Amino acid sequence: MDQNAKKIQSQRLRNRMIEALEICSSLEDISQLGSHETLEIAKDYLPHEDSYTDKIFSTEEQAALAIFASALRGAESATHQVTWDRVWFEKQEEWLTLIAASANARSIFERRGRFDEEQIDPKAK
């Protein structure tokens, strides 16, 4: 894969990560999708830690991703069965931490916004 194709792929991943952050920052979305599906969506699009330094992510976005990943691991560890119970999520410190970390990361990512998915976006440079 050439460099341009890799860059486009990274831009698309970044956009999917923003979508995952939107889901994980919403108690309503989490309770509609359930614990298992929410965790799977986030893990599917969360880049591996070694790719946080990809130029597609600003330094601030990289730090937010690391905090989000830690909160995601905490929510996963605290969840022993699949649930859609909003009240349960509201009482779980780990899920509240995930929601807060997601909201923070989302606001940081929104500063540069979504990137073009068909050509190299000037914001990605």
Side-chain angles (χ1 to χ4, degrees), residues 17-71:
M17 190 64 241
I18 292 170
E19 291 168 5
L21 291 169
E22 289 171 347
I23 290 168
C24 292
S25 65
S26 167
L27 185 58
E28 183 175 330
D29 288 350
I30 291 169
S31 59
Q32 285 182 353
L33 288 169
S35 56
H36 178 75
E37 187 65 21
T38 300
L39 293 169
E40 289 304 309
I41 288 169
K43 291 187 308 185
D44 282 348
Y45 294 114
L46 181 66
H48 295 285
E49 285 187 46
D50 59 344
S51 66
Y52 292 176
T53 58
D54 187 336
K55 292 180 182 178
I56 201 76
F57 302 112
S58 70
T59 303
E60 193 174 16
E61 290 168 350
Q62 292 170 37
L65 280 177
I67 293 167
F68 172 76
S70 176

Side-chain angles (χ1 to χ4, degrees), residues 17 20 27 73 75 77 102 108:
M17 190 64 241
L27 185 58
R73 287 189 298 272
S77 294
S102 302
I108 290 168

Side-chain angles (χ1 to χ4, degrees), residues 21 25 60 64 67 98-109 111:
L21 291 169
S25 65
E60 193 174 16
I67 293 167
L98 176 64
I99 291 167
S102 302
N104 181 60
R106 180 181 171 194
S107 70
I108 290 168
F109 272 73
R111 291 178 192 154

Side-chain angles (χ1 to χ4, degrees), residues 105-122:
R106 180 181 171 194
S107 70
I108 290 168
F109 272 73
E110 286 177 347
R111 291 178 192 154
R112 293 196 303 157
R114 295 176 199 267
F115 288 179
D116 193 294
E117 296 202 10
E118 301 302 324
Q119 57 187 333
I120 295 178
D121 193 305

